[in-house]
Amino acid sequence: MPNSNAKFRRGGREAGRQELVSRSLQSAQHCLEEQDFGTAYAHYLLVLNLAPELKASVKETFQFTLFKWAEELDSLARIQDLFNCYEQALELYPNDEVICNSMGEHLFRMGFRDEAAGYFHKAVKLNPDFADAKENFYRVANWLVERWHFIMLNDAKRNLTYLKAIESAVSSGCKSVLDIGTGTGILSMFAKKAGASCVYACELSKTMYELARDVVAANNMEREIKLLHLKSLDIEIPKHIPERVSLIVTETVDAGLFGEGIVESLIHAWEHLLLQPK
């Protein structure tokens, strides 16, 4: 008899859940017809939390509702509410390239270009054929990557000089290397190819960090170079790297030497991250 009562209660709860889901779906549809996107969005959140098995079937309508509600929130300058909605949506659909791309577009319009690039990049990784996301990523990358960076990367003489200097340092005993402001990761790869046993690289820009990950992976070194999305001043031992390194390399020294804060970074690295001579 107790088992029968338990089954009856479970059956009653399931029937109640299904009824609530059905009513919420009807209410969401009615709100959409009335262009009450905020209330429709709330109903869809309830439905998807109660019935995750419906994610696939309501996905497109949910996206439409989210985007319309986000437009209203944007026009009302309710920025935090807008971001909260996208965070909720990405919890439900963490691998949805369309939602990632839309989040990036809002961030870009608000001036958060580095953060926007991260969402565009994720959208492209999820769907390499997603033309809108690719266009958005390249557009924001042009804002974030200084023109002199391309010139430096194509300066064969400069790169060869760095390569020879790193090879010389590693061959003389510097086996652990930290690359500050790694950019595309070129100096880290030089160090690894030169024979360094441990290579760490830090990059503050989210866009450049993601780019470095792609470049390092394309060269089959993702397991040999540890990339850190950090400012060098924030690196801690042993939290981020296990011990002090024997060589620090950087390519952030250009005409903007003082503007980039590289002097402060190098002093910090020398004092806290580099092995001191005995």
Side-chain angles (χ1 to χ4, degrees), residues 99-118:
I99 295 177
C100 286
N101 183 64
S102 180
M103 175 67 156
E105 289 175 338
H106 281 287
L107 286 166
F108 184 78
R109 284 196 295 270
M110 294 173 191
F112 301 107
R113 292 174 179 143
D114 205 26
E115 292 83 355

Side-chain angles (χ1 to χ4, degrees), residues 145-195:
V145 182
E146 299 288 350
R147 294 301 177 193
W148 55 260
H149 200 90
F150 295 106
I151 298 173
M152 285 166 52
L153 285 174
N154 287 282
D155 188 337
K157 183 177 180 181
R158 177 190 179 98
N159 293 338
L160 183 60
T161 301
Y162 267 105
L163 175 60
K164 288 182 177 179
I166 291 171
E167 287 177 338
S168 176
V170 172
S171 64
S172 67
C174 296
K175 297 300 183 181
S176 56
V177 181
L178 171 63
D179 180 5
I180 295 178
T182 191
T184 58
I186 187 171
L187 298 189
S188 296
M189 291 186 290
F190 283 171
K192 196 62 195 177
K193 288 181 178 179

